Amino acid sequence: MQKKWLSLSSEVQNALAEGKPVVALESTIIAHGMPFPQNVETALRVEQVVRDAGAIPATCAVMGGRLTCGLNADQIELLGRGGHQIPKASRRDLAYLLSRGDDGATTVASTMIIAHQAGVRVFATGGIGGVHRGATTTMDISADLPELAQTPVAVVSAGVKSILDLPLTLEYLETQGVPVIGYQTDEFPAFYTRHSGLKVDFRMDSPSEIARMLDAQWSAGLRSGVVVANPVPAEYEADPVMIDRAIAEALAAAEQQGVRGKTITPFLLAFIEQTTGGRSLTTNIELVCNNARLGAEIAGALGRRMN
Ligand code: PSU
Ligand code: MN
C-alpha cells in the first residue's frame, strides 16, 4: 500500500531484483547545497564514483508527485538548474508534494524514506542535519534525526557541520538508539574538518565490519538507522580557522535577518560558501565522493552477507 507513490528507474529495479548493491543519494544537496553548475557536475560525478566502486547509484527526489528512486541525467539537471525554486522536501513536505504532482529535492530524512520503500539499505551524502545551536530555546532539530531513529537505512556522511551543535546532536542520537560508527576514526568528524574532539560510539576500519554490524542491527529486529561517519580525506580538509570564522559570520547573519525554520540550513550553507570564496566547495565535493565510495563498498559487503 505504501508503495503506491514509489517509482524506481529500470536500472535500480533490475539491480535490486538481481541482488546487486545499490547506493541511495539525496537531492537537497543538488538543489540547495551547492551552486549551479557544480551541483549538477558533482551529482553526476558522485554517481560515477558509486559505479566505479561496483554499485548502482540511485539518486532520489520527488518528481511529478512520485517518490522517485533513480533519477536520469535530465532530472538531475532540472533539480540543479532549479536550485532554490525547487521545494526542499523533508518528511513533513512529502504528502503535500505528492498530492499536487510537484517536484521536490529530498533531504536525508525523505531520501531515507524513499530508499527504505525501494529496498535500498545504504545511502551516501555529505552531511546530515542535526540539533541546531540554540535548540534549547528554538527547538530546531532536523527531521533527519528522528528519521534515523525509525528508518532502517545506513547513512554515510562526513559528520555534521559546526553550524550545528555537535554534542547535542550526538546526545539526541544516543537517546534515540541510533549507533554512530566512525570509519577508521575514533572521533566524530565535523564535515569540513576531520576532528571535533567528540568520540564516536564504535570505530570500524573496514566496510565488511560495518556490513556485519548492519546485518546484526536489522536481523535482530532493531528498526533504527545507523550513522556511518567518514572523515574528509586529509588532503581536502578545509582550514579550520577559515571555517570557524565563516560559520560565526553565517550564524550572526541568520540571527540578524531572523532566518528560521526550513530555510535556515540552506541559508547557512550558501553564506559559508560565499564568504569562503568557494574554497569550502572543493572540500564539500571531495567529501561527498569519498562517502559515495565507502557507501558502495558497504553496500557490496552487505550484499555478500545477505544474498
Ligand atoms: N548539511 C550539509 N549539507 C546539506 C544538508 C545538510 O552539510 O546539503 C541538507 C541535507 O539534505 C539535510 C538537510 O538532510 O540539509 C537538513 O535540513 P534541515 O536542517 O532543515 O532538516
Ligand atoms: Mn529545522
Side-chain angles (χ1 to χ4, degrees), residues 96-180:
Y96 175 79
L97 296 171
L98 299 184
S99 69
R100 292 169 62 97
D102 286 350
D103 297 336
T106 49
T107 62
V108 169
S110 47
T111 302
M112 288 179 75
I113 294 169
I114 296 174
H116 178 53
Q117 284 197 17
V120 177
R121 293 169 297 210
V122 181
F123 162 23
T125 186
I128 58 172
V131 178
H132 282 258
R133 297 197 197 184
T136 47
T137 50
T138 64
M139 290 182 72
D140 191 350
I141 297 173
S142 172
D144 295 353
L145 298 189
E147 200 62 49
L148 279 158
Q150 62 178 310
T151 302
V153 170
V155 182
V156 183
S157 77
V160 165
K161 282 200 176 89
S162 43
I163 55 173
L164 303 171
D165 188 318
L166 274 64
L168 288 190
T169 299
L170 292 175
E171 287 292 350
Y172 188 97
L173 290 169
E174 181 186 353
T175 300
Q176 296 287 332
V178 179
V180 178

Side-chain angles (χ1 to χ4, degrees), residues 265-298:
T265 300
F267 175 91
L268 295 171
L269 299 179
F271 193 101
I272 292 165
E273 209 246 305
Q274 275 159 22
T275 50
T276 56
R279 273 173 297 165
S280 61
L281 186 58
T282 309
T283 301
N284 200 344
I285 292 169
E286 295 299 333
L287 67 81
V288 177
C289 291
N290 190 49
N291 295 340
R293 194 174 311 109
L294 179 58
E297 289 167 1
I298 294 169

